[in-house]
Amino acid sequence: MAANTEKTFKFVVVGGGIAGVTCAEQLASQFPSAEVALLTAAPLIKAVCNFKQISKTLEEFDVEERPSSVLEEKYPNLRVIQSAVKRLHAQQHTLQTVDGLEIHYEKLCICSGGRPKLLAQDNPYVLGIRDTDSAQEFQKRLSKAKRIVVVGNGGIALELVYEVEGCEVIWAVKDKAIGNTFFDAGAAQFLIPSLDKDKPERAATCKRARYTIEGPAATQGLAVGAGGDRQGQSRGLEEPGSALGPDWHEGISLRGAEEVSHRVSVEYQSEVKQIYTHQDFLLSPLSFFIFIFSSTVLFSHTIGSWPVYAQLTNGKTFGCDFIVSATGVVPNTEPFLHGNNFALAEDSGLKVDDHMMTSEPDIYAAGDVCTAGWEPSHLWQQMRLWTQARQMGWYAGRCMAAGVLSETIELDFCFELFSHITKFFNYKVVLLGKFNGQGLGLNQELLVRCTKGHEYVKVVLSGGRMLGAVLIGETDLEETFENLILNQMDLTSYGEELLNPNIDIEDYFD
Ligand code: FAD
């Protein structure tokens, strides 16, 4: 092998998403004289900016897509190589990339993220949304669409159905209420009216700097900063980019071909049973029934000619322009598994211990690709979110450093309490601890305060102690509730007064 295709680094991080970039930055700053490599399939990296620690565990930040040169300028010992990993030889401590590079490492961190779990592979009418490319493809298809079917009940589906205008949206959720991943039926009830209202005007500016790459000409312009060994080349769609985050739809118009604002119909407790192309549909027995029963509820949505039809488990069939599959992600582990001995979790993630170490020596993992395999604090659970990708990447970097320096390191405080701050349907949403009573079964008591169109506050108590909370709207309760959850104070004597809007709870527990 020619010498210039072989490289050796003390630390190698795979993945230019939040987890990988944070990990690489941590290592590069802690070991200024060690060579650190960040290997990534995408030409742009994700950088955390405007980081704000809102309370002990709640954090907020923006994410910018940046050319990799920005990282290399900031850390002279950090080299960004744009080339997808195709094979890992864990025993030999070697990675092979699609461009024929062979990279040797002392310590490796895999942060290759996930890819959308698609309802159907290779069906041109089924789209997943993960990165900038797929969001742009979605936008392009939407601009000509009159009706789409959105399948899924997580954060992406929630945002999508709220943001799309000018197109009828059929939203198939497998649960009895919307947003089941994030909150309960009460909160869903609070949010549902927003789907019938016009959306408030948004500020025209986009807070995330976005670099677009549209073929060779545009890529040339980017080559100055693209870094790595493939400057000037455009990325194939099969090579995954980094996952988008909360503001992925800002700056792109999510407008269909019709002159309507919101038009969302929710199909509860339903999943997709079968997808028919136009041709298959005409030949199927279903089309015969529809011909006869087209005026019934079950088949009224199939009238007209559509490129694709989705038959749901509730018996209804919908013709539409395309289907959005927003049913979660599958960890991107494939290039790393062959010939190695990784312990995998049930969700196919690389299982990591409380030092973010996989079961293979000197290999760590962080972000969407990994699954926390340690016994977690009773107030924390893993969710594949931006904040956790940052926290895991940062902590993995510290653990790798501690491993090299033979130092001991304690599980970071951020894994003590689950906390997440986001926006749904234009409301601020804060989730704390066991916000949905996860794992508590009947052993929980709920207190709820709700003012329609203004706020929804839910507290989860068990044995008189607060274990979780959902705060929707400008409640200003997050810090106080976070403290009450962390200090596990017995709140039995306060009863329902805890949510009495006339009591200034902040002063009360000061
Ligand atoms: P990724 O960002 O997926 O990065 C993986 C990186 O690995 C990429 O750079 C990719 O190019 C690289 N890679 C993959 N395979 C290889 C390979 N073989 N060789 C080299 N490089 C490789 N989270 C929130 O907290 N709030 C939200 O509101 C929210 N909204 C979201 C909306 C959308 C549309 C999506 C898709 C996700 C959303 N998320 C949200 C989730 C959040 O974006 C992810 O959890 C987080 O970005 C994961 O970061 P990561 O670094 O682990 O992975």
Side-chain angles (χ1 to χ4, degrees), residues 43-288:
L44 300 173
I45 54 101
K46 290 266 156 90
V48 170
C49 54
N50 303 328
F51 181 86
K52 256 189 289 176
Q53 191 76 43
I54 294 183
S55 63
K56 289 193 185 84
T57 61
L58 273 169
E59 52 187 55
E60 217 177 11
F61 53 85
D62 297 329
V63 170
E64 281 189 7
E65 277 191 330
R66 288 184 182 163
S68 52
S69 57
V70 174
L71 267 188
E72 292 180 328
E73 277 157 22
K74 194 166 166 196
Y75 304 98
N77 59 330
L78 177 57
R79 173 89 197 277
V80 184
I81 302 171
Q82 192 210 323
S83 188
V85 172
K86 70 167 187 202
R87 193 84 191 262
L88 162 69
H89 301 284
Q91 286 307 317
Q92 289 87 350
H93 286 50
T94 306
L95 290 160
Q96 280 175 345
T97 77
V98 290
D99 295 336
L101 283 177
E102 190 164 302
I103 308 226
H104 304 272
Y105 61 84
E106 205 175 296
K107 301 253 178 229
L108 168 70
C109 189
I110 301 174
C111 306
S112 50
R115 58 177 192 283
K117 209 188 280 171
L118 285 185
L119 284 168
Q121 294 296 332
D122 301 323
N123 184 328
Y125 297 106
V126 177
L127 304 189
I129 298 176
R130 179 73 190 162
D131 49 21
T132 313
D133 289 334
S134 51
Q136 280 170 355
E137 175 65 14
F138 169 70
Q139 180 194 23
K140 200 170 97 195
R141 302 270 291 265
L142 180 67
S143 66
K144 298 185 202 117
K146 294 192 167 113
R147 185 195 292 156
I148 61 171
V149 171
V150 176
V151 186
N153 204 8
I156 297 175
L158 267 171
E159 282 186 285
L160 202 81
V161 296
Y162 180 71
E163 292 299 329
V164 166
E165 290 180 293
C167 177
E168 184 183 356
V169 176
I170 309 294
W171 186 12
V173 300
K174 67 176 181 345
D175 313 291
K176 285 187 189 152
I178 62 159
N180 213 41
T181 323
F182 290 99
F183 30 67
D184 60 0
Q189 221 39 50
F190 173 84
L191 290 173
I192 275 278
S194 304
L195 289 179
D196 296 325
K197 278 194 251 159
D198 284 351
K199 281 195 322 192
E201 283 292 316
R202 232 183 242 282
T205 50
C206 171
K207 65 180 173 182
R208 180 197 304 169
R210 203 179 286 275
Y211 297 82
T212 46
I213 297 166
E214 289 163 352
T219 320
Q220 293 284 321
L222 199 117
V224 200
D229 294 6
R230 295 175 64 190
Q231 286 192 348
Q233 283 185 27
S234 66
R235 177 166 60 93
L237 273 178
E238 71 283 356
E239 291 172 18
S242 309
L244 298 162
D247 57 352
W248 65 276
H249 41 74
E250 270 183 37
I252 59 172
S253 154
L254 293 184
R255 192 150 246 301
E258 302 272 54
E259 281 303 313
V260 289
S261 177
H262 272 136
R263 217 165 123 208
V264 182
S265 324
V266 189
E267 294 295 326
Y268 291 102
Q269 292 183 282
S270 56
E271 292 178 70
V272 172
K273 188 171 165 195
Q274 182 91 33
I275 296 169
Y276 296 94
T277 60
H278 182 72
Q279 208 58 21
D280 291 346
F281 187 69
L282 291 182
L283 298 173
S284 74
L286 250 186
S287 66
F288 171 73

